[in-house]
C-alpha cells in the first residue's frame, strides 16, 4: 500500500469515527507509529484533520465544511484531484460539488478514491468511456475492476458506457464488471485487505517529494 492510499483510508476512518489513535492505525496498516505520524502531519497541513496527543480528530474547518464543496482540496487545471497526475481524455473522471465547483481525476481509480474521501460532497460525476473517451454519468457506467490492463493508477479501474463492451474487455484482460457502488467497495476493500500490494507509483512519488 502506498502512502497516498493509506492516507485516503485514514481520512475515511476519521470521517466515520470522528477521532483516531496512532497506535491503532499503526497496527491496522502494519506500519510504524512514525509512519502514521508523518501521514497525520501531511493531512493536517492540508486541513483535513487536527493532530492531538496520540492521535487525530476532525479539524474545526472540516467539521464546519462537512457537506460543503469547499472541502474539496484545490487542484490546478488539468491535474488530478487525488495524485496531481495530468488528466487524459480517455481516462478522465470529473466531479462536481454541491455548489458547482468542479474537479478532475486522472482516471477512474482516483475518481473512486474521491468518492471514498468526499462522499456526500459530490453532487455529480462523469467518467470517460475507456475506448471512445465519451463522457457519461458515473452512476450509469460499467466499471471493469482489477483487470491486468492498467494504463494509470493501481489497482486498475476502467469505465465503459456499454456493458457488452465492458464484458468483451473483461474476456481479454480479466477483472470483474460492476457498477459505481461496487467500484467504491472494490477499491476500499482492496486497499484495506492487500497492504502488501503496490499502488500507484506516481502517487507514491508525489508523497515522497512532499515529505
Amino acid at each position: 500500500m502506498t502512502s497516498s492510499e493509506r492516507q485516503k483510508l485514514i481520512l475515511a476512518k476519521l470521517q466515520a469515527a470522528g477521532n483516531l489513535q496512532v497506535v491503532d492505525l499503526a497496527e491496522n496498516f502494519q506500519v510504524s507509529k512514525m509512519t502514521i505520524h508523518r501521514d497525520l502531519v501531511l493531512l493536517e497541513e492540508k486541513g483535513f484533520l487536527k493532530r492531538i496527543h496520540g492521535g487525530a480528530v476532525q479539524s474545526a474547518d472540516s467539521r464546519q465544511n462537512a457537506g460543503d464543496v469547499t472541502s474539496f482540496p484545490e487542484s490546478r487545471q488539468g491535474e488530478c484531484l487525488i495524485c496531481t497526475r495530468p488528466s487524459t481524455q480517455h481516462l478522465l473522471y470529473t466531479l462536481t460539488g454541491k455548489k458547482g465547483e468542479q474537479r478532475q481525476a486522472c482516471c477512474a481509480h482516483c475518481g473512486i478514491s474521491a468518492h471514498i474521501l468526499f462522499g456526500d460532497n459530490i453532487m455529480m460525476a462523469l467518467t470517460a468511456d475507456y475506448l471512445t473517451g465519451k463522457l457519461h454519468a458515473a452512476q450509469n457506467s460499467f466499471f471493469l475492476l482489477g483487470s491486468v490492463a492498467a494504463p494509470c493508477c493501481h489497482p486498475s479501474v476502467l469505465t465503459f458506457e456499454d456493458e457488452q463492451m465492458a464484458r468483451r474487455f473483461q474476456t481479454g484482460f480479466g477483472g470483474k464488471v460492476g457498477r459505481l457502488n461496487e467500484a467504491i467497495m472494490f477499491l476500499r476493500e482492496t486497499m484495506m485487505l492487500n497492504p502488501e500490494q503496490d499502488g500507484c507509483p506516481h502517487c507514491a512519488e508525489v508523497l515522497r517529494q512532499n515529505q
Side-chain angles (χ1 to χ4, degrees), residues 28-94:
N28 183 264
F29 293 112
Q30 298 180 0
V31 296
S32 69
K33 290 189 287 185
M34 184 57 66
T35 295
I36 297 298
H37 277 297
R38 285 196 296 267
D39 288 337
L40 297 183
V41 168
L42 286 171
L43 293 172
E44 184 178 47
E45 289 174 352
K46 295 178 180 179
F48 287 125
L49 53 78
K50 179 177 177 59
R51 288 184 299 145
I52 60 173
H53 180 70
V57 296
Q58 290 179 302
S59 67
D61 287 342
S62 67
R63 289 194 301 268
Q64 181 179 352
N65 292 326
D68 195 324
V69 71
T70 55
S71 61
F72 276 138
E74 292 293 334
S75 59
R76 289 183 292 183
Q77 183 67 28
E79 282 192 353
C80 178
L81 168 70
I82 301 298
C83 72
T84 75
R85 189 171 186 163
S87 302
T88 57
Q89 181 59 39
H90 76 292
L91 296 175
L92 187 65
Y93 200 105
T94 68

Side-chain angles (χ1 to χ4, degrees), residues 176-195:
K176 63 179 182 179
V177 175
R179 304 309 291 268
L180 178 59
N181 286 341
E182 292 168 298
I184 293 172
M185 184 179 302
F186 163 79
L187 193 57
R188 191 192 300 271
E189 290 180 351
T190 299
M191 291 191 297
M192 285 288 288
L193 299 178
N194 298 285

Side-chain angles (χ1 to χ4, degrees), residues 60-169:
D61 287 342
S62 67
R63 289 194 301 268
Q64 181 179 352
N65 292 326
D68 195 324
V69 71
T70 55
S71 61
F72 276 138
E74 292 293 334
S75 59
R76 289 183 292 183
Q77 183 67 28
E79 282 192 353
C80 178
L81 168 70
I82 301 298
C83 72
T84 75
R85 189 171 186 163
S87 302
T88 57
Q89 181 59 39
H90 76 292
L91 296 175
L92 187 65
Y93 200 105
T94 68
L95 305 123
T96 303
K98 290 184 176 179
K99 292 186 178 180
E101 192 166 349
Q102 293 188 334
R103 297 288 185 266
Q104 293 183 352
C106 63
C107 63
H109 168 104
C110 283
I112 296 302
S113 296
H115 283 288
I116 293 173
L117 285 178
F118 305 114
D120 292 339
N121 290 323
I122 299 171
M123 181 181 69
M124 182 176 67
L126 298 175
T127 184
D129 184 280
Y130 180 61
L131 297 178
T132 68
K134 179 183 176 182
L135 289 173
H136 58 281
Q139 65 266 31
N140 297 331
S141 187
F142 295 90
F143 293 79
L144 181 60
L145 310 169
S147 75
V148 296
C152 198
C153 301
H154 298 264
S156 174
V157 179
L158 305 178
T159 56
F160 298 84
E161 189 175 16
D162 181 76
E163 181 179 8
Q164 185 177 8
M165 293 305 298
R167 296 201 179 279
R168 286 183 180 178
F169 209 83

